[in-house]
Amino acid sequence: MKGKKGDGVLRIANRVLIGLIGLLLIGVGLVALVGALDLPRRWGLWLPSGFSWRAPHDVLLTHADRTQFRDHGWWWTVVIGSLAVVMLLSLWWLLAQVRRPRLTEVVVDSGDGVGALLRGRAMEEVVAAEAESLPGVERARVAIVGRRAQPRLRVGLLLTPQARPHEVVERLRTEAVEHARASAGLTALPAEARLHPARHSVDRVS
């Protein structure tokens, strides 16, 4: 549920941000079009008294418009605060785009040509339990990423000092990953394994 809720928030944020950017660009484009084509004079359009872009030779913000608040004490506080908020929101949005969210559901072959949905967490737990049963594996963590019809596994293994990494990786591929692929009816199940040695304290004899 947390993954699904996070994906929903990201989708809503994307739509709102894209919509606001689109409205801003449309507004600026219309203002530029009105001024460049000299439409207020040609069509007799009414514009607010403070609107400076009225003719092709005018600019959107005059020098007076840009400097009228510089002598106020709150001006730079508002400018810096607004820029900081925009930067933080932009950074959050960028990090949300590049991260790889975990799948909450995986499409499996049910044999009837329609398919069924398998909970991603259940599949992760099964693969992690089988990986932890392999010799030399102390703990395993599994995350399913990618698309529902084309999932990928990210596996983190904590190895014991007696573990043989090559043998662990081979058995992980041929047993835990292959069993998950076959049970889900997938044609392929790519996996990325990261191995970490377990840290054990050394016993001291006095």
Side-chain angles (χ1 to χ4, degrees):
M1 291 295 293
K2 291 183 179 180
K4 187 178 294 184
K5 184 181 296 184
D7 294 343
V9 172
L10 181 59
R11 284 196 297 269
I12 294 175
N14 283 340
R15 292 174 182 174
V16 171
L17 184 60
I18 293 174
L20 291 177
I21 294 175
L23 290 175
L24 178 63
L25 293 177
I26 291 175
V28 173
L30 290 177
V31 170
L33 185 64
V34 168
L37 298 180
D38 200 13
L39 296 183
R41 183 182 61 82
R42 292 183 178 182
W43 293 356
L45 297 179
W46 176 86
L47 293 175
S49 58
F51 193 78
S52 58
W53 203 349
R54 297 172 176 270
H57 62 274
D58 293 332
V59 295
L60 181 59
L61 292 175
T62 64
H63 178 73
D65 293 332
R66 297 193 301 269
T67 59
Q68 61 178 329
F69 298 116
R70 298 175 91 180
D71 295 333
H72 294 75
W74 52 265
W75 170 246
W76 290 114
T77 302
V78 172
V79 170
I80 295 174
S82 301
L83 292 177
V85 171
V86 171
M87 184 187 69
L88 290 176
L89 290 177
S90 301
L91 182 61
W92 170 82
W93 181 78
L94 179 62
L95 292 177
Q97 303 307 310
V98 299
R99 75 179 180 90
R100 294 183 292 180
R102 299 171 68 166
L103 287 179
T104 57
E105 296 174 337
V106 176
V107 178
V108 299
D109 186 7
S110 59
D112 56 3
V114 178
L117 294 178
L118 173 66
R119 285 197 314 114
R121 182 58 59 86
M123 190 174 183
E124 291 173 352
E125 292 175 353
V126 170
V127 176
E130 188 167 358
E132 289 180 349
S133 67
L134 299 177
V137 178
E138 183 172 306
R139 188 166 66 249
R141 291 185 177 180
V142 179
I144 301 178
V145 297
R147 292 181 293 178
R148 294 196 307 174
Q150 296 178 334
R152 305 189 310 275
L153 294 179
R154 287 190 297 174
V155 183
L157 299 178
L158 190 64
L159 303 183
T160 63
Q162 298 79 21
R164 297 180 178 179
H166 177 74
E167 182 179 338
V168 170
V169 172
E170 181 64 19
R171 293 192 62 176
L172 175 70
R173 181 182 65 84
T174 58
E175 296 181 23
V177 176
E178 177 59 24
H179 293 165
R181 183 203 65 78
S183 63
L186 300 171
T187 57
L189 183 58
E192 172 190 340
R194 296 186 178 182
L195 310 182
H196 305 278
R199 297 181 180 179
H200 294 278
S201 59
V202 178
D203 295 331
R204 295 183 179 180
V205 179
S206 57

